[in-house]
Amino acid sequence: MKHAALELLEKLIAIQSVNLHYGEGAQGEMEISRFIEAYCLKAGLKVSRQPVMEGRDNLIIELRTGHPGSVLLFEAHMDTVSLGSMENPLEAVYRKGRLYGRGACDTKGALAAMLVTMETCAAAPELLSSDLVLCASVDEEHAFRGLLKFLELDMPVSAAVVGEPTELKIVVAHKGCVRFAVHTHGKAAHSSVPHEGENAIVAMAEIIRYLADIVTPELASITDGLCGPATLSVGTISGGDQINIVPERCTIQVDRRIIPGEDPIAVMLELEEGLEQFCRAKGLRHSVEPLLLDYALDTPHDSPIVKAARDTAERIGLQSGIFGETYGSDASKLQGIKGIPSLVYGPGSIAQAHSREEWVPVQAVEEAATFYVELARAFRA
Ligand SMILES: [Zn+2]
């Protein structure tokens, strides 16, 4: 007999929920949220909607069991990236132990397993020592506005499990990021008399060398046992208007990944200071524009949720070690902004997320559902 989580996952894949940010044809999360709402109401769960943007609501699904002092939050996003060039992205297809479809791995597999967990626990609430909340959020694939809105509720939460593809590894740490733009400001002149201008592209070349040769090598020593070293990457460059004009502006966008223990605001300030000093010494005119600051995840290894997760995994024969990742998730917002001990756990691999061939191992979806149910029953704040 097919596992309930797989049956549900097939239906979730069939409902297109491409993040509206990804342009034409994207349907957003409304239809999938209606389906999930109906599913949860049928299971006897309390469901409420939290409007985040026009036509885009978080679903907050509650199972209150009389343990308000110990609240376990499950969180998974409902949106996906664009359908891209996937073949039959909305049709769940089984092949060689894998289930293919857009969102199968990121992150409808985890979402289906969490929904089945809520349903299973609702049928036997006496086995729980905690209240359970599931937040099915919007907009993770673009700007995390769903989860950030949920945090505004200030709902008491003791610990959280965020559903993303971790290959069923208990992830307690991952990197955060500091993204910023650097602009250089020059002076336009006709290219036949370049000495009358100031070339913003040439100035930027110096800044890029500074970032690559001075800043980047220093990052190798800033390293985390689970996540590896801090890194820096210059991702885009643009500048100049036409070939016969000395360019008066140039812009790069830079992505600095931070590790647990680094504060994004402090890192941003340090980068700004370094650039300021360098540019002053070289006589370059520049400005810095912060774009996105995101915390690293750094959940204490001895927190009750980590212990419960490790014990549970060991008991049911799954990997019980703790792991770090290089990519980010909603978990770092829960922990960084609200101090909620959080871990990331789900079926599938990040290697298949966002890709042309998105799939999730069938067995991993079943195991994730078992793990979430057993964890919900084992956890106590
Ligand atoms: Zn995801």
Side-chain angles (χ1 to χ4, degrees):
M1 206 181 92
K2 198 181 280 173
H3 195 287
L6 290 169
E7 259 176 48
L8 185 55
L9 177 52
E10 291 171 20
K11 291 176 185 153
L12 296 180
I13 288 172
I15 303 172
Q16 200 242 65
S17 62
V18 173
N19 190 302
L20 292 176
H21 178 71
Y22 290 97
E24 226 169 280
Q27 287 176 13
E29 303 91 346
M30 190 47 84
E31 188 185 345
I32 198 169
S33 77
R34 289 204 187 99
F35 173 83
I36 293 171
E37 182 175 35
Y39 178 91
C40 291
L41 289 173
K42 203 172 145 209
L45 293 155
K46 181 184 163 202
V47 184
S48 40
R49 284 183 173 272
Q50 179 189 30
V52 179
M53 286 159 281
E54 177 76 37
R56 303 177 74 182
D57 301 341
N58 287 335
L59 281 185
I60 298 163
I61 300 142
E62 295 171 70
L63 177 57
R64 298 292 173 185
T65 61
H67 301 89
S70 179
V71 180
L72 179 59
L73 171 72
F74 287 102
E75 194 263 350
H77 59 89
M78 297 183 284
D79 57 323
T80 70
V81 291
S82 66
L83 303 179
S85 55
M86 254 193 111
E87 267 177 62
N88 304 324
L90 304 178
E91 192 186 320
V93 173
Y94 291 88
R95 218 184 303 144
K96 294 188 180 148
R98 297 169 173 179
L99 181 49
Y100 287 79
R102 176 55 85 224
C105 146
D106 185 11
T107 208
K108 290 179 176 178
L111 179 59
M114 286 178 169
L115 285 164
V116 167
T117 297
M118 295 298 286
E119 185 188 26
T120 306
C121 289
E126 68 282 2
L127 298 178
L128 295 167
S129 309
S130 297
D131 286 0
L132 301 185
V133 177
L134 168 59
C135 174
S137 61
V138 299
D139 196 43
E140 193 273 348
E141 295 292 2
H142 176 49
F144 311 110
R145 282 172 292 194
L147 183 81
L148 294 172
K149 193 80 186 175
F150 173 79
L151 293 181
E152 287 176 14
L153 286 178
D154 251 323
M155 182 184 277
V157 170
S158 316
V161 179
V162 170
E164 290 284 0
T166 69
E167 300 175 74
L168 304 186
K169 289 185 215 158
I170 299 167
V171 169
V172 298
H174 64 59
K175 292 186 187 180
C177 68
V178 170
R179 292 183 181 163
F180 59 98
V182 184
H183 310 283
T184 45
H185 310 283
K187 185 175 157 224
H190 195 274
S191 62
S192 63
V193 282
H195 49 276
E196 289 179 6
E198 261 178 74
N199 192 311
I201 291 179
V202 172
M204 187 61 84
E206 295 204 51
I207 289 180
I208 292 171
R209 284 262 66 91
Y210 162 74
L211 291 172
D213 298 344
I214 311 282
V215 177
T216 301
E218 286 172 0
L219 300 180
S221 63
I222 305 173
T223 190
D224 176 79
L226 293 177
C227 301
T231 58
L232 183 144
S233 169
V234 179
T236 69
I237 183 164
S238 62
D241 293 312
Q242 58 187 62
I243 193 166
N244 60 351
I245 300 175
V246 173
E248 64 176 347
R249 45 152 224 105
C250 185
T251 297
I252 55 171
Q253 290 179 314
V254 185
D255 190 350
R256 159 80 152 84
R257 295 296 168 116
I258 64 171
I259 61 165
E262 287 192 295
D263 175 58
I265 297 167
V267 168
M268 186 70 254
L269 288 174
E270 198 184 312
L271 283 160
E272 282 178 292
E273 258 173 48
L275 281 162
E276 180 62 40
Q277 272 180 24
F278 176 80
C279 290
R280 203 182 317 124
K282 294 276 183 181
L284 309 173
R285 286 191 294 142
H286 84 297
S287 58
V288 175
E289 179 193 353
L291 299 174
L292 176 74
L293 305 188
D294 191 14
Y295 293 91
L297 176 67
D298 189 16
T299 297
H301 301 178
D302 61 352
S303 59
I305 185 65
V306 177
K307 282 187 174 160
R310 301 190 69 178
D311 290 349
T312 299
E314 193 174 333
R315 192 155 43 77
I316 61 178
L318 297 172
Q319 300 179 78
S320 59
I322 50 172
F323 294 86
E325 286 291 356
T326 53
Y327 57 83
S329 82
D330 280 344
S332 60
K333 268 74 69 194
L334 287 157
Q335 199 225 357
I337 299 170
K338 293 289 178 186
I340 299 166
S342 302
L343 51 88
V344 193
Y345 190 94
S349 161
I350 195 75
Q352 273 84 48
H354 304 194
S355 79
R356 205 177 160 264
E357 283 260 283
E358 183 168 354
W359 52 270
V360 65
V362 169
Q363 190 183 338
V365 176
E366 301 176 358
E367 287 172 342
T370 306
F371 173 83
Y372 293 145
V373 170
E374 293 302 318
L375 176 62
R377 288 174 176 165
F379 176 74
R380 179 182 223 146

